[in-house]
């Protein structure tokens, strides 16, 4: 069964109510019962004593009967008086007979299948014995006790109803909040109302609002990204479509070969854009949280340099890698870090002219690990440096095919690793230097 | 027909230039707004294909400025944004038509023809001058009962002459329509095309105005 505060409250309150009612009922009955017992016993004793005294004054039996009736009112006492003989000299109910007990005091005996209580007093050989069936007492007890117990039973449903209403009312704010959430569309991210919220669920509503806000931000970022991506895909696809149209209209073989070549470059560019978009989407915060491990940047850089060695050689670009120690580690995720380095080196090779230089420097400084990649290419104009990390931004006048996503990916990976990126002038007073600063492993 | 293409993306620009050149359009391709302004001040164009997302000054701003400067040439806007507001903004800035990327080259050509037609005050697809009628979409020409199919260059020449019947166009004006900036112009090429046309359509279809140029004939 599901855990429910309402059911929990109702169950335990009902249980408490029942237990306390039973307890009060039992106690009340016990007190009433004791009182009644005492009262009956006292009456019996008083009747016996009075009769005893009257007998001494030689009163006639008729008066006795009357007397006994006035004392007990409607209650029935069996009164027996014995003298010296075996048979009673007086009995109030001749049909009933309780045996004579000589010892003074209370006692119990069986008569006609039920228990009788008697009080017997013997004075100067005359025994006055007053007795009655215990069942009479029970009737009296119930009569008195019911006057207390019936209101007690009556308060039971009233109190139950009151508890039910109170619990319902108390939990109403929760119902309001859950109803609010329930009827929302999947994109309704406005905060839950905070007025009239009891202090107990305030933290919950607070936390929910906080979550809603973060969800909203993530959703909007995702939407922006999707819109941007869809928009940016149009450009390479337009090129492909036009290249295909041109190809269809080619008349000579030479033209066809040229158009084919252009088309294949267009397709390659579209594929590259999709690949980069996927990389960005995979790196998006929250898309997959991987546990950071210790990553050796020396071997990571060497891997990436090896991968683009051939491209560099083709362009006559000299690449160098300087590092003070044989291992420089940071905490991070090796795959995205590799992608980051790949993108940075790719940029260098793209934009650095033939016979250029690319230098990678890895150093440790005061609890930080600094990786710097410099080239002697055209660099980035200062007024555009602030924008180059934006998705799809392309430096004005760039002729290199690209999608403007490389540095956006680099920035995303850096942010993921709590690293900072600084752009500055590169080698020979020109070119570009990208400096990424990580926190060192403690 | 001379068209100014303003498009920053190299692949798209190259393909448009090549594709449209197949159909006899002379395309001058520039990659930003400043170069477009320069081109417009140096030549007269029949139409401008304008990409909205240009680096620096964007297409909308350029278009507004051109319209303010009373440039009346038809402008076909090429845009990657397909929301209604984007289209409205473009049309309100002074564009005559728009195409959302990616688009088909055939559709672009049809829209170019329609724009030129409307710009020349015609609503029917056929160009008519006297008993000569020219169909721009099929490049079919008929002079009286004689029907012929024109080559790309012949069509451009005929189309230029028929656009304003009675007007005399000089050889260099005709060359302007026929060739973009990067095309090499052969010295006697207009004369050659006129010769070919006269052979197909009869001597009187194009009249030579001595020392000035050519005009469409009464046939």
């Amino acid at each position: 069964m599901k855990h429910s505060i309402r059911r929990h409250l109702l169950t335990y309150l009902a249980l408490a109510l029942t237990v306390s009612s039973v307890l009060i009922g039992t106690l009340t009955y016990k007190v009433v019962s004791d009182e009644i017992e005492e009262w009956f016993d006292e009456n019996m004793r008083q009747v016996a004593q009075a009769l005893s005294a009257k007998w001494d004054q030689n009163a006639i039996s008729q008066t006795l009967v009357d007397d006994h009736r006035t004392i007990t009112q409607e209650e029935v006492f069996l009164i027996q008086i014995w003298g010296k003989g075996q048979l009673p000299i007086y009995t109030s109910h001749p049909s009933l007979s309780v045996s004579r007990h000589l010892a003074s005091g209370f006692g119990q005996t069986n008569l006609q299948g039920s228990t009788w209580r008697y009080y017997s007093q013997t004075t100067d050989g005359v025994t006055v014995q007053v007795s009655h069936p215990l069942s009479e007492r029970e009737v009296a007890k119930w009569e008195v006790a019911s006057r207390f117990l019936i209101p007690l039973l009556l308060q039971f449903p009233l109190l139950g109803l009151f508890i039910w209403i109170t619990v319902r009312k108390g939990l109403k704010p929760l119902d309001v909040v859950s109803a609010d959430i329930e009827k929302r569309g999947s994109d309704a991210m406005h905060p839950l109302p905070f007025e009239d919220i009891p202090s107990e669920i305030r933290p919950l509503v607070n936390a929910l609002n906080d979550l809603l806000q973060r969800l909203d931000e993530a959703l909007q970022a995702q939407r922006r990204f999707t819109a941007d991506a869809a928009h940016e895909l149009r450009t390479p696809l337009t090129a492909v479509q036009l290249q295909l149209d041109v190809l269809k209209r080619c008349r000579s073989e030479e033209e066809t070969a040229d158009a084919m070549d252009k088309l294949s470059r267009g397709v390659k560019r579209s594929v590259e854009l999709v690949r980069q978009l996927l990389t960005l989407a995979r790196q998006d915060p929250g898309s997959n949280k991987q546990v950071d491990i210790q990553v050796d940047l020396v071997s990571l850089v060497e891997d990436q340099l090896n991968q683009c060695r051939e491209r560099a050689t083709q362009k006559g670009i000299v690449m160098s890698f300087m590092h003070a120690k044989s291992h420089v580690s940071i905490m991070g995720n090796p795959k995205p870090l590799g992608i980051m380095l790949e993108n940075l080196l790719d940029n260098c090779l793209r934009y650095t002219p033939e016979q250029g230089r690319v230098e990678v420097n890895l150093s440790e400084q005061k609890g930080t690990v600094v990786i710097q990649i410099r080239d002697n290419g055209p660099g980035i104009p200062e007024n555009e440096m602030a924008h180059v990390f934006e998705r799809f931004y392309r430096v004005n006048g760039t002729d290199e095919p690209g999608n403007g996503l490389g540095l956006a990916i680099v920035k995303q990976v850096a942010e993921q690793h709590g690293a900072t990126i600084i752009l500055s002038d590169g080698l020979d007073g020109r070119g570009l230097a990208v400096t990424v600063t990580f926190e060192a492993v403690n | 027909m001379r068209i100014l293409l303003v498009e920053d993306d190299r692949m798209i620009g190259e393909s448009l230039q090549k594709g449209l050149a197949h159909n006899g359009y002379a395309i001058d391709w520039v990659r930003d707004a400043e170069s477009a302004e320069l081109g417009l001040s140096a030549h007269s164009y029949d139409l401008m294909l304008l990409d909205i997302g240009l680096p620096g000054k964007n297409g909308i701003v350029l278009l507004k400025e051109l319209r303010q400067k009373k440039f009346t040439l038809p402008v076909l806007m090429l845009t990657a944004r397909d929301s209604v507001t984007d289209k409205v903004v473009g049309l309100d800035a002074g564009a005559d038509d728009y195409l959302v990327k990616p688009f088909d080259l055939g559709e672009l050509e049809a829209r170019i023809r329609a724009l030129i037609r409307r710009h020349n005050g015609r609503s029917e697809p056929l160009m008519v001058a006297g008993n000569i009628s020219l169909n721009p979409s099929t490049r079919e020409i008929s002079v009286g009962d004689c029907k012929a199919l024109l080559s790309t260059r012949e069509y451009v020449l005929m189309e230029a002459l028929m656009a304003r019947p009675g007007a005399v166009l000089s050889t260099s004006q005709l060359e302007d329509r026929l060739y973009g900036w990067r095309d090499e112009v052969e010295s006697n090429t207009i004369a050659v095309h006129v010769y070919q046309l006269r052979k197909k359509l009869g001597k009187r279809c194009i009249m030579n105005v001595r020392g000035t140029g050519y005009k469409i004939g009464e046939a």
Side-chain angles (χ1 to χ4, degrees):
Chain A
M1 196 186 265
K2 273 188 281 175
H3 186 75
S4 147
I5 295 178
R6 175 172 307 151
R7 193 177 301 127
H8 191 83
L9 277 175
L10 285 176
T11 309
Y12 281 90
L13 281 171
L15 205 70
L17 181 63
T18 312
V19 167
S20 77
S21 298
V22 166
L23 220 69
I24 289 171
T26 317
L27 259 153
T28 307
Y29 180 76
K30 177 95 176 65
V31 169
V32 166
S33 150
D34 286 354
E35 286 290 322
I36 299 266
E37 291 279 353
E38 217 171 276
W39 183 83
F40 268 99
D41 281 358
E42 184 60 21
N43 260 1
M44 279 159 73
R45 201 177 54 80
Q46 276 179 8
V47 168
Q49 276 174 354
L51 283 173
S52 233
K54 285 202 173 161
W55 193 258
D56 282 347
Q57 289 160 19
N58 297 314
I60 56 160
S61 59
Q62 202 55 53
T63 328
L64 279 170
V65 173
D66 285 342
D67 271 1
H68 133 246
R69 285 206 174 115
T70 51
I71 291 163
T72 62
Q73 292 163 354
E74 78 260 36
E75 302 297 337
V76 181
F77 280 159
L78 166 64
I79 297 166
Q80 295 162 293
I81 302 171
W82 285 274
K84 302 231 166 33
Q86 277 294 308
L87 288 170
I89 48 175
Y90 170 78
T91 177
S92 62
H93 298 76
S95 58
L96 298 165
S97 164
V98 173
S99 54
R100 179 182 186 179
H101 293 82
L102 283 170
S104 292
F106 290 100
Q108 267 162 225
T109 184
N110 269 331
L111 183 67
Q112 292 177 339
S114 60
T115 311
W116 285 60
R117 188 164 170 85
Y118 62 83
Y119 180 78
S120 159
Q121 190 172 346
T122 308
T123 323
D124 303 328
V126 177
T127 303
V128 178
Q129 192 168 295
V130 182
S131 41
H132 80 142
L134 279 181
S135 58
E136 286 298 319
R137 292 190 175 195
E138 292 308 311
V139 172
K141 279 180 200 171
W142 278 116
E143 235 166 61
V144 176
S146 64
R147 285 179 206 158
F148 297 97
L149 293 177
I150 284 169
L152 193 71
L153 281 173
L154 278 178
Q155 62 127 42
F156 200 80
L158 272 174
L159 213 59
L161 186 71
F162 185 70
I163 287 171
W164 188 71
I165 290 170
T166 309
V167 167
R168 220 182 132 80
K169 229 179 142 85
L171 294 176
K172 184 98 184 161
L174 271 180
D175 290 342
V176 170
V177 170
S178 51
D180 187 325
I181 296 173
E182 213 165 272
K183 70 175 178 232
R184 269 166 193 252
S186 62
D187 53 350
M189 293 292 174
H190 56 271
L192 294 163
F194 208 64
E195 308 89 52
D196 308 325
I197 293 288
S199 56
E200 285 85 353
I201 62 168
R202 229 160 237 265
L204 177 70
V205 172
N206 246 339
L208 273 174
N209 279 344
D210 205 44
L211 177 68
L212 279 173
Q213 197 191 335
R214 275 180 288 143
L215 264 176
D216 190 30
E217 278 162 16
L219 201 69
Q220 274 181 15
Q222 203 59 47
R223 275 198 193 130
R224 259 199 313 276
F225 177 65
T226 314
D228 281 354
H231 172 233
E232 291 300 326
L233 271 169
R234 285 176 195 271
T235 302
L237 288 179
T238 305
V240 168
Q241 163 121 47
L242 290 172
Q243 284 158 341
L244 186 65
D245 286 340
V246 170
L247 180 64
K248 280 190 207 152
R249 295 169 184 209
C250 286
R251 286 174 209 138
S252 70
E253 245 173 64
E254 193 187 343
E255 265 185 322
T256 309
D258 182 53
M260 289 271 246
D261 179 51
K262 291 219 163 89
L263 178 60
S264 91
R265 270 192 281 156
V267 170
K268 215 165 125 186
R269 172 181 166 198
S270 308
V271 170
E272 175 67 11
L273 175 59
V274 171
R275 196 184 65 82
Q276 284 185 310
L277 284 174
L278 273 175
T279 307
L280 264 180
R282 288 204 185 108
Q283 300 306 314
D284 242 0
S287 62
N288 58 335
K289 279 267 170 283
Q290 280 189 9
V291 186
D292 284 353
I293 55 165
Q294 199 152 327
V295 183
D296 178 24
L297 283 179
V298 174
S299 61
L300 207 63
V301 171
E302 272 168 354
D303 282 352
Q304 291 301 331
L305 284 175
N306 285 336
Q307 275 181 35
C308 56
R309 181 88 52 202
E310 202 185 310
R311 254 176 85 195
T313 317
Q314 275 173 9
K315 256 183 120 174
I317 293 173
V318 180
M319 297 195 297
S320 63
F321 179 29
M322 279 173 286
H323 46 103
K325 290 199 273 180
S326 56
H327 295 286
V328 179
S329 295
I330 58 161
M331 291 306 284
N333 197 337
K335 198 156 181 218
L337 284 171
I339 291 170
M340 179 175 100
L341 290 170
E342 184 192 340
N343 274 294
L344 286 173
L345 290 171
D346 177 68
N347 271 355
C348 291
L349 294 179
R350 257 175 213 264
Y351 297 107
T352 305
E354 293 190 0
Q355 315 308 323
R357 279 187 299 143
V358 175
E359 285 184 16
V360 184
N361 232 312
L362 186 59
S363 59
E364 280 178 296
Q365 297 165 8
K366 286 183 242 155
T368 58
V369 172
V370 180
I371 181 158
Q372 191 177 49
I373 301 177
R374 294 182 294 172
D375 61 41
N376 62 350
I380 296 173
E382 206 159 324
N383 60 340
E384 298 204 51
M385 278 191 179
H387 300 292
V388 290
F389 291 112
E390 290 167 14
R391 286 170 176 180
F392 307 113
Y393 186 86
R394 300 214 60 207
V395 172
N396 212 341
T398 303
D399 234 18
E400 268 303 316
N403 300 308
L405 283 177
L407 283 177
I409 292 172
V410 168
K411 185 186 166 213
Q412 202 176 42
V413 176
E415 274 174 358
Q416 220 175 47
H417 288 82
T420 56
I421 311 180
I422 295 169
L423 297 182
S424 52
D425 284 339
L427 298 167
D428 313 332
R430 49 183 280 208
L432 182 70
V434 183
T435 312
V436 188
T437 310
F438 295 93
E439 247 176 70
V441 179
N442 292 334
Chain B
M1 177 103 40
R2 194 165 183 144
I3 292 174
L4 180 63
L5 166 64
V6 192
E7 164 65 63
D8 68 317
D9 189 82
R10 199 169 73 175
M11 284 186 180
I12 296 176
E14 272 177 2
S15 308
L16 277 177
Q17 195 174 34
K18 196 144 215 157
L20 291 174
H22 274 301
N23 279 325
Y25 296 107
I27 308 288
D28 290 340
W29 170 32
V30 294
R31 296 180 66 178
D32 56 51
E34 288 71 26
S35 315
E37 282 168 334
L38 218 70
L40 282 166
S41 64
H43 295 271
S44 90
Y45 291 97
D46 298 291
L47 183 126
M48 177 160 76
L49 293 175
L50 177 64
D51 176 35
I52 297 302
L54 296 172
K57 192 194 284 184
N58 76 30
I60 298 286
V61 177
L62 171 68
L63 188 52
K64 276 186 182 159
E65 285 176 4
L66 289 178
R67 291 308 190 208
Q68 268 167 13
K69 289 182 199 158
K70 308 291 177 214
F71 277 92
T72 55
L73 83 166
V75 173
L76 203 164
M77 182 172 82
L78 305 174
T79 172
R81 307 233 167 242
D82 62 350
S83 77
V84 174
T85 40
D86 290 318
K87 293 171 188 167
V88 168
V89 165
L91 291 173
D92 282 350
D96 298 277
D97 198 359
Y98 65 83
L99 259 182
V100 176
K101 291 176 182 177
F103 50 82
D104 182 83
L105 197 55
E107 185 182 355
L108 176 67
E109 285 165 347
R111 280 177 192 260
I112 289 173
R113 282 196 297 272
L115 271 182
I116 302 270
R117 196 168 71 221
R118 271 192 306 235
H119 191 67
N120 293 338
R122 294 183 294 116
S123 56
E124 75 279 12
L126 288 183
M127 297 180 83
V128 182
N131 65 345
I132 307 174
S133 71
L134 177 66
N135 185 341
S137 53
T138 58
R139 287 192 225 142
E140 230 176 10
I141 193 159
S142 60
V143 183
D145 294 332
C146 162
K147 279 193 168 65
L149 208 60
L150 298 183
S151 77
T152 307
R153 296 259 148 104
E154 287 164 358
Y155 163 74
V156 174
L157 209 63
M158 232 21 225
E159 193 262 333
L161 292 169
M162 286 179 75
R164 277 178 296 159
V168 178
L169 296 179
S170 70
T171 310
S172 66
Q173 273 176 319
L174 288 172
E175 279 171 349
D176 241 18
R177 300 291 181 93
L178 229 52
Y179 303 104
W181 293 339
R182 288 170 191 83
D183 296 326
E184 277 176 45
V185 183
E186 300 133 61
S187 59
N188 61 348
T189 179
I190 298 292
V192 171
H193 290 310
V194 169
Y195 170 75
Q196 295 283 357
L197 281 167
R198 280 178 171 162
K199 223 167 83 179
K200 274 187 188 170
L201 307 168
K203 282 209 155 105
R204 295 177 64 193
C205 70
I206 296 171
M207 291 173 71
N208 198 344
V209 181
R210 199 166 296 272
T212 320
Y214 301 92
K215 68 173 190 176
I216 199 80
E218 286 94 43

